[in-house]
Amino acid sequence: MTGMKVEGREGTEDPMNTDDNVVTNSYKLLDEVAVSLEQKCILHICGQRSGKSVALGLSDYSLALYDVCNLHSVCSFPAHTSTITDVKFSSKNEHLLYSSSLDGTVKVHDLRSKTCVAELKDDSEGPSMLKPISSFDFSSDENFGSAGTELFDGDAFVLFWDIRTSKLLGGYWESHTDDITQVRFHPEEKNKLATGSVDGIINVFDISKQCEDDALAYCLNTESSIDKLHWFRGMGSTFNISCITHTEELQLWEIDGASPFAHFTREDIAGILKDDTVDNTYLINSHNQEDGGLLIIAGYSSLKR
């Protein structure tokens, strides 16, 4: 596994398809633990801000919590009745954990009692017609939550709740034409939301507006199915968006840009990692660096390495 630190745009003549502004560091495995001896897969992993714990969403629809220091299992418990699609720790309360699922629910779990203390869902079509939730996020003040859905009766929905009351506030259903894979609130502006979809479109909304047409502020066409989105700070105070596609490409966007200001293909990533076989290369995720820049976690599955 390798970390690629992407520096800001300044200081390079052409940031497109070049590794002049990329610094790489390799990471080696120090320790490991088997989550289960059964045939379970880890679908999602999320770290606590304090660095104490990681939460796992497993393929048997359960959640597990591990202590980071010694990889000790803290607890595990059943959470959903279908595939878990997102896991997030509360930013306000270290004892609360959010999880979303294709069963149509976002659940808030109290890790002390291992129980669900709140449930967010859209049951407007009836209790047996919940929309399959594919991604979830909460606003910077954690008062509001948003979720994206897979196609449901021909539409892909962006749903909104008041987390404090679990009340469904409404939704958008005209801005995407295929499964929504990502919803990500701006880290500082609580009314700004980015969404990504299999349709290749990144939409940026101002959710303080009264209707969907007015709320849609920017529309970015990646021309590829979107896997992950992440807000990151550029050289100044402006936040940009990193996009990882299902074809293992990395695109970096200013939200008002007509095209990405940096674009790394799978071949580019393989070249940076010095991996001879492009098909072995994959992107994992992106993270903010405390000293600036964007950390991209990538890897390769070549057996010879």
Side-chain angles (χ1 to χ4, degrees):
M1 186 173 69
T2 301
M4 300 162 41
K5 183 179 178 182
V6 182
E7 305 288 355
R9 298 182 61 180
E10 300 174 6
T12 178
E13 294 181 359
D14 179 13
M16 302 293 288
N17 294 317
T18 176
D19 60 358
D20 291 342
N21 57 343
V22 177
V23 179
T24 60
N25 291 296
S26 294
Y27 299 93
K28 297 185 182 297
L29 179 67
L30 292 180
D31 202 357
E32 63 181 342
V33 62
V35 174
S36 172
L37 299 180
E38 303 172 3
Q39 291 185 337
K40 295 181 185 179
C41 298
I42 299 173
L43 302 181
H44 296 276
I45 184 168
C46 177
Q48 206 169 29
R49 284 192 175 185
S50 64
K52 296 179 181 178
S53 305
V54 293
L56 312 176
L58 304 179
S59 57
D60 65 348
Y61 317 148
S62 68
L63 294 171
L65 191 69
Y66 278 78
D67 182 279
V68 171
C69 294
N70 54 25
L71 296 185
H72 173 71
S73 175
V74 177
C75 65
S76 62
F77 52 92
H80 290 278
T81 58
S82 188
T83 303
I84 293 174
T85 55
D86 234 336
V87 177
K88 286 183 172 63
F89 280 100
S90 167
S91 60
K92 305 295 184 182
N93 186 333
E94 66 177 6
H95 301 299
L96 296 182
L97 179 69
Y98 295 87
S99 63
S100 63
S101 169
L102 294 179
D103 66 14
T105 64
V106 177
K107 293 187 176 182
V108 187
H109 310 273
D110 189 322
L111 296 174
R112 294 164 295 187
S113 60
K114 308 179 192 63
T115 57
C116 174
V117 294
E119 185 175 88
L120 313 177
K121 58 186 177 182
D122 178 3
D123 56 2
S124 57
E125 303 290 334
S128 63
M129 295 286 286
L130 301 184
K131 297 175 177 65
I133 292 174
S134 49
S135 181
F136 169 77
D137 201 12
F138 46 75
S139 59
S140 56
D141 59 7
E142 209 170 319
N143 288 336
F144 300 99
S146 179
T149 76
E150 293 186 346
L151 285 177
F152 180 84
D153 198 21
D155 292 314
F157 291 79
V158 182
L159 304 172
F160 300 97
W161 293 271
D162 185 328
I163 294 179
R164 298 162 293 185
T165 63
S166 301
K167 179 183 178 181
L168 179 68
L169 300 176
Y172 304 152
W173 55 86
E174 296 178 347
S175 301
H176 286 292
T177 59
D178 211 330
D179 297 344
I180 295 172
T181 53
Q182 292 279 273
V183 293
R184 293 292 176 259
F185 274 99
H186 191 282
E188 295 180 357
E189 299 179 42
K190 64 181 181 180
N191 291 322
K192 187 174 288 185
L193 177 76
T195 63
S197 167
V198 174
D199 63 17
I201 301 299
I202 301 172
N203 286 322
V204 180
F205 296 96
D206 178 355
I207 64 172
S208 67
K209 304 297 184 181
Q210 291 298 313
C211 67
E212 182 173 354
D213 285 345
D214 292 340
L216 182 57
Y218 302 100
C219 184
L220 314 175
N221 187 2
T222 70
E223 299 183 356
S224 185
S225 176
I226 295 167
D227 183 19
K228 293 183 175 68
L229 296 178
H230 179 72
W231 290 95
F232 71 99
R233 194 183 297 276
M235 291 296 291
S237 59
T238 303
F239 276 87
N240 300 321
I241 295 175
S242 73
C243 171
I244 294 175
T245 73
H246 284 117
T247 54
E248 309 300 336
E249 295 187 357
L250 171 67
Q251 300 181 16
L252 305 182
W253 288 82
E254 294 176 331
I255 63 172
D256 58 354
S259 61
F261 67 79
H263 180 193
F264 299 89
T265 66
R266 196 173 194 180
E267 289 77 9
D268 295 328
I269 302 297
I272 294 170
L273 298 184
K274 297 179 172 57
D275 187 2
D276 296 333
T277 308
V278 173
D279 290 345
N280 290 333
T281 303
Y282 57 92
L283 291 166
I284 301 171
N285 215 332
S286 56
H287 303 275
N288 293 329
Q289 290 277 83
E290 290 186 1
D291 58 349
L294 180 68
L295 180 66
I296 308 296
I297 305 298
Y300 40 77
S301 56
S302 175
L303 294 177
K304 67 180 180 181
R305 304 185 65 170

